[in-house]
Amino acid sequence: HVGAAPLASAPSPTATALGISLFCTGQLGNLYHHYLLSTLRKPGEKGYKVPKGGLFGLVCCPHYTFELMSWLGVAVVANHRAHYHGLLGFVCYLMGRSHATMQWYRARMDGKHPDQRIPPNWKRLVPLVY
């Protein structure tokens, strides 16, 4: 099948180590940022806040950033076109989701309360870029 052939027979030990490192770092980063989101409000508290901590000072969706890092690690270890195409699909999807999230924050956070101030130069998904 066209496009079904692997890029190489097997990844090198270096590529395997890199891929596993990317995957583990991505999973831990995703977990950490989900933890920050889950502890954003104290019990009984209502209302929305701009998340803080971790990479939330740079991007509105760092959990997406780390999820993409994990999928990049999988693609590096698998070394197969299908995985890179899947990664591209995830990138496009999460770029759209992070854009919608940024619009949601901008529409609802007025900045009058310290918990509702969007950081200056806040990006969507990739620190300092997008």
Side-chain angles (χ1 to χ4, degrees):
H1 298 296
V2 175
L7 297 174
S9 57
S12 69
T14 303
T16 300
L18 173 65
I20 291 171
S21 296
L22 285 167
F23 178 81
C24 291
T25 302
Q27 288 296 301
L28 290 172
N30 192 358
L31 176 70
Y32 174 67
H33 288 91
H34 275 285
Y35 169 77
L36 291 175
L37 286 171
S38 72
T39 59
L40 196 56
R41 285 186 251 179
K42 296 178 176 83
E45 210 173 29
K46 299 198 187 274
Y48 294 106
K49 298 179 181 183
V50 174
K52 293 185 177 22
L55 291 184
F56 279 114
L58 299 173
V59 294
C60 67
C61 296
H63 47 304
Y64 292 173
T65 306
F66 282 101
E67 184 168 340
L68 290 174
M69 183 184 291
S70 290
W71 285 110
L72 176 60
V74 169
V76 168
V77 170
N79 199 30
H80 195 280
R81 284 189 190 125
H83 288 85
Y84 286 106
H85 291 157
L87 174 62
L88 179 61
F90 282 124
V91 168
C92 292
Y93 174 71
L94 292 178
M95 283 177 72
R97 292 301 319 136
S98 64
H99 179 75
T101 300
M102 177 69 90
Q103 287 180 317
W104 185 93
Y105 278 116
R106 289 201 170 140
R108 287 165 181 81
M109 300 294 135
D110 60 13
K112 292 177 184 172
H113 188 275
D115 287 338
Q116 293 188 340
R117 289 193 187 121
I118 293 174
N121 302 314
W122 212 29
K123 300 297 181 188
R124 293 161 184 83
L125 186 65
V126 181
L128 309 174
V129 178
Y130 176 81

